[in-house]
Amino acid sequence: MKKAIVSLSFDDGRKDNYKIFQDILQKYELSATINIATGYIEGKVNAALQPAMSIEQIIELSTNELFEIACHGDLHSNDLEDIVSGREKLLDWLNLPKDYQIGFASPGSEMNLEYINENESFFRQRGFEYVRTGPRIESKKYLRKILRRLARIVKFKFLFRFVYSETIQLTKRGVVLFSVPILKETTVDQIIELIKYTCKKRGLCVLMFHSIQPKGTKFYSDNWTYDFKKFEQLCRKIAELRDEEKIEVKTTSQAYKSLQ
């Protein structure tokens, strides 16, 4: 690719994401993807996942050209029938044709590369453009797993870059896309260091988020909740890199299409 690509991906359809998309991402004109678990929106999935968006809010976001709505299953499951059910509901909510190509993000990133490759024909035949899963770690797996935990503790940005460097994608791997999970302890400097590495490689970096909340709110202590101020700081830095023409910021679908 001529330029590195960063894609911001948000899982589940949490209510706080609606505010983030409207107030932060739109402010900095950053494209992003939200992966909707339709059963969660309907109240059929464990409420511990935090309050969900409404169908009306999802429809509203879908009309904004900055944003992509993708599938996250129906009951937040990796069961193939559940995934198809989630897709069908989304297409109905968004009034899209049955043959519309839509992305899918694996709940819990449970689908590995081997499984996705084995079921590639299933995904393609049922209208899925790509399958986003978790980090790609193919070399020194056990060492990297230990170092990933260490990186969360010591917060060294170069260590973070090392443990997720294989996740940066340079070419298509069938329908699979890898992503970097952003947890509460992840620092802005660590993410920016990984993005700079992505620039060097001219690859794709997909950042996986869940909740974004201010300090003191009910679900702030959750490990998958990222601090609101840190997130806005990150968005500002990403926007600066984009304005300096060092990166492009794209939805996950746009990013997948850019890979050769």
Side-chain angles (χ1 to χ4, degrees):
M1 295 186 293
K2 294 180 179 179
K3 197 179 297 185
I5 296 173
V6 173
S7 183
L8 308 175
S9 185
F10 296 76
D11 283 1
D12 303 324
R14 304 182 186 213
K15 189 174 182 179
D16 62 75
N17 287 178
Y18 176 76
K19 180 177 177 63
I20 292 302
F21 274 59
Q22 294 285 63
D23 296 351
I24 304 297
L25 297 176
Q26 198 159 253
K27 173 182 175 181
Y28 291 101
E29 297 183 337
L30 296 175
S31 295
T33 297
I34 187 159
N35 308 293
I36 302 296
T38 49
Y40 170 49
I41 304 302
E42 295 174 320
K44 298 176 182 178
V45 177
N46 192 341
L49 279 174
Q50 306 178 17
M53 286 185 195
S54 66
I55 295 176
E56 291 73 22
Q57 288 173 328
I58 294 168
I59 293 172
E60 180 184 347
L61 290 179
S62 74
T63 63
N64 190 319
E65 62 182 13
L66 281 174
F67 307 137
E68 171 197 6
I69 308 296
C71 179
H72 202 41
D74 182 33
L75 301 178
H76 199 255
S77 166
N78 286 281
D79 175 78
L80 297 180
E81 290 186 8
D82 186 80
I83 296 167
V84 172
S85 176
R87 176 185 179 275
E88 291 174 349
K89 284 185 183 179
L90 266 184
L91 297 187
D92 182 54
W93 293 354
L94 302 178
N95 195 28
L96 294 170
K98 293 187 181 298
D99 61 351
Y100 184 83
Q101 293 288 301
I102 196 168
F104 168 67
S106 169
S109 298
E110 291 179 4
M111 289 187 177
N112 59 29
L113 177 62
E114 181 180 6
Y115 181 85
I116 296 170
N117 284 339
E118 288 175 354
N119 290 278
E120 181 174 343
S121 60
F122 172 91
F123 291 111
R124 291 195 184 279
Q125 290 169 10
R126 285 160 180 80
F128 291 100
E129 181 181 26
Y130 63 81
V131 178
R132 196 221 70 197
T133 188
R136 173 189 171 197
I137 300 177
E138 296 183 0
S139 65
K140 303 178 181 178
K141 293 183 179 180
Y142 297 107
L143 174 61
R144 287 177 186 269
K145 187 175 182 179
I146 294 171
L147 293 179
R148 279 162 58 189
R149 295 178 181 175
L150 182 62
R152 293 200 292 269
I153 297 171
V154 301
K155 304 187 187 309
F156 289 165
K157 60 184 184 181
F158 297 110
L159 180 58
F160 185 84
R161 182 187 70 183
F162 171 74
V163 295
Y164 289 112
S165 59
E166 286 190 343
T167 303
I168 305 307
Q169 205 157 335
L170 307 180
T171 59
K172 274 193 173 77
R173 296 286 296 268
V175 294
V176 70
L177 284 176
F178 303 102
S179 63
V180 178
I182 305 301
L183 304 178
K184 174 174 289 298
E185 302 92 343
T186 310
T187 69
V188 173
D189 285 345
Q190 286 177 320
I191 301 171
I192 294 300
E193 180 61 31
L194 186 62
I195 291 175
K196 289 180 178 178
Y197 175 80
T198 307
C199 291
K200 182 179 179 181
K201 293 293 183 178
R202 288 191 291 181
L204 165 63
C205 177
V206 180
L207 301 174
M208 180 211 310
F209 295 91
H210 288 74
S211 284
I212 311 291
Q213 297 198 18
K215 189 175 183 179
T217 52
K218 182 178 179 181
F219 296 99
Y220 184 80
S221 61
D222 187 279
N223 195 41
W224 286 103
T225 296
Y226 202 63
D227 181 80
F228 183 92
K229 290 184 177 179
K230 284 169 61 177
F231 182 75
E232 182 161 18
Q233 180 187 1
L234 173 64
C235 287
R236 186 166 58 249
K237 288 180 177 291
I238 289 175
E240 288 172 357
L241 290 170
R242 176 203 59 201
D243 294 344
E244 293 169 2
E245 298 189 350
K246 294 180 179 178
I247 63 171
E248 292 181 280
V249 183
K250 297 187 176 185
T251 66
T252 313
S253 174
Q254 292 168 343
Y256 177 75
K257 288 182 175 71
S258 297
L259 291 171
Q260 300 299 315

